Amino acid sequence: MRQADEIIYLDHAATSWPKPPEVLDAVSECMRNSAANPGRGSHQMAVQASRVLFDTRKKLAKLFHIKNPNDIAFALNTTGALNLAIKGFVKPGSHVIATSVEHNSVRRPLEYLKRVVDIEVTYVDTDESGVMDPKRIQDAVKANTSLVIANHSSNLLGSILPIADIGEITRKKGIKLLVDAAQSAGILDIDVERMGIDMLAFPGHKGLLGPQGTGGLYIHPEVDLEPLMHGGTGSQSEAAEQPAIRPDRYEAGTQNTPGFAGLKAGVEYILHETTEKIHNKEWALTQRLMDGLLSVEGVKVLGPTLGEQRTGIVTFLAGEADPSEIAFILDQHYGIAVRSGYHCTPLAHEQAGTSATGAVRASVGYFTADAEVDALIAAVQEIMKHYR
């Protein structure tokens, strides 16, 4: 088995790696000095642990232009945040609009609610490359529409949805907007006020450069959710019901304090570098990769065409070759880590016309080097010689 420093890592859409040294140091420092239970005591270590969590909320609030840090509820990941938002907000008999590029973390909770509480769901199509005309959202609105859910960037196609335009529609209609920022947080500029976002679900372990087991949900102060979990919060312990105060209402149980210490360091790194700089570098890398792959006979690249805006995801088909086989060869023979299959987004594969095959997904990060992109192109060129 290859050592980590021998691997060309192009799977950043799943989780970013490596992390900045500051993130590793923050986790270690917290474990050594601040790893008491936050909110569960008044001694110095418990107070310091609580401070770690609040400081992380403040950094996230600055990044996403959130007025009150306590409107951010921590979660294990984007999936947990989306489940809290969807199951905590959607009421029986209501209508929800989602897009055809949603992850299963959106689709499966919606399908569950369709089955158990009789809600209506409309999935609005994008085009084949994942680009959406916001008018399709407007045309899908019904009298009982209560929520629109939009993926900021497709984890299959890399396309970027016009969230601000969608937010303008939902505000005028009095409908709430939930945004899945799994592929955009820390990479694209997100301003919840300007973009009309009522709930923002985000991971800590992808573009925010933090550890796994971290993430969160921004909840607009006018939105009240039913908690997904109930239990100890360290506050109002004498009460039988979950506290109404934020963020305690949505954070039962002990938080991953060392993980969030690492997330704070990751967000600080992004604030210093700026999302504009990060996105521009990742976009340049994707253009380099797309240009190289498109020069290989038989290779088809999915998503927006060369020169159009996208996040750092380049998904492709290698002729008639099985995508899983291509990914296996890249890993075993070239030491290149990519992902193949359906990427937990079958609706997006339907849009792209790849439902029967799946696809190979390469995804770059801020620390990806040009030479690593070139190595993937060269490997695909060599592999394709055996499939012609």
Side-chain angles (χ1 to χ4, degrees), residues 19-38:
K19 308 297 183 182
E22 297 92 330
V23 172
L24 309 183
D25 292 343
V27 173
S28 178
E29 193 281 332
C30 183
M31 287 294 292
R32 288 196 305 270
N33 299 312
S34 307
N37 204 321

Side-chain angles (χ1 to χ4, degrees), residues 15 41 49 54 85 87 97 121 136 160 164 168 210 217 227 237 241 269 276 280 286 320 325 335 346:
T15 198
F54 185 66
K87 294 176 181 176
I97 299 170
V121 180
R136 293 188 176 188
I160 300 171
E168 185 175 350
L217 178 70
S237 295
E241 297 292 331
Y269 184 91
E276 180 181 16
N280 286 343
T286 63
E320 300 299 319
E325 185 175 359

Side-chain angles (χ1 to χ4, degrees), residues 13 68 106-108 143 152 154-155 161 189 198 206 208 212 217 223 294-295 302 314 328 332 352 354:
N68 184 355
V106 168
R107 187 187 185 192
R108 286 178 174 172
H152 197 181
S154 167
N155 73 310
L161 269 64
D189 181 50
D198 297 291
K206 298 188 182 187
L208 295 180
Q212 295 173 352
L217 178 70
V223 175
L294 289 169
S295 71
L302 307 181
V314 178
F328 180 80
Q332 294 296 307
T354 52

Side-chain angles (χ1 to χ4, degrees), residues 84-91 146-147 176 199 223-225:
L84 170 59
I86 295 168
K87 294 176 181 176
F89 181 81
V90 179
K91 301 295 188 293
S146 62
L147 181 66
K176 301 304 180 186
M199 292 179 281
V223 175
D224 182 44
L225 305 178

Side-chain angles (χ1 to χ4, degrees), residues 4-153:
D5 59 2
E6 298 175 319
I7 294 172
I8 295 175
Y9 186 81
L10 295 175
D11 195 21
H12 292 269
T15 198
S16 59
W17 183 88
K19 308 297 183 182
E22 297 92 330
V23 172
L24 309 183
D25 292 343
V27 173
S28 178
E29 193 281 332
C30 183
M31 287 294 292
R32 288 196 305 270
N33 299 312
S34 307
N37 204 321
R40 269 67 170 184
S42 57
H43 56 80
Q44 293 181 32
M45 281 187 67
V47 171
Q48 180 57 28
S50 295
R51 187 171 295 120
V52 167
L53 297 184
F54 185 66
D55 287 347
T56 305
R57 283 185 230 275
K58 288 198 297 183
K59 295 297 181 183
L60 289 163
K62 182 176 181 180
L63 180 65
F64 298 136
H65 304 274
I66 295 167
K67 292 179 180 178
N68 184 355
N70 286 328
D71 286 329
I72 299 171
F74 286 144
L76 284 171
N77 41 47
T78 320
T79 300
L82 288 167
N83 271 264
L84 170 59
I86 295 168
K87 294 176 181 176
F89 181 81
V90 179
K91 301 295 188 293
S94 62
H95 174 239
V96 177
I97 299 170
T99 79
S100 60
V101 293
E102 298 308 319
H103 191 275
N104 277 339
S105 297
V106 168
R107 187 187 185 192
R108 286 178 174 172
L110 288 177
E111 295 300 317
Y112 167 79
L113 291 178
K114 278 175 64 177
R115 178 168 55 85
V116 300
V117 298
D118 192 28
I119 68 166
E120 294 180 79
V121 180
T122 299
Y123 296 102
V124 177
D125 287 343
T126 65
D127 65 15
E128 186 180 77
S129 65
V131 175
M132 167 169 281
D133 180 351
K135 188 175 183 298
R136 293 188 176 188
I137 298 283
Q138 184 170 301
D139 292 345
V141 172
K142 299 181 178 182
N144 61 335
T145 304
S146 62
L147 181 66
V148 170
I149 307 174
N151 198 329
H152 197 181
S153 174

Side-chain angles (χ1 to χ4, degrees), residues 1-9 17 331 334-336 372:
M1 180 179 292
R2 288 182 172 88
Q3 299 299 310
D5 59 2
E6 298 175 319
I7 294 172
I8 295 175
Y9 186 81
W17 183 88
D331 177 48
Y334 297 92
I336 301 175
E372 293 177 308

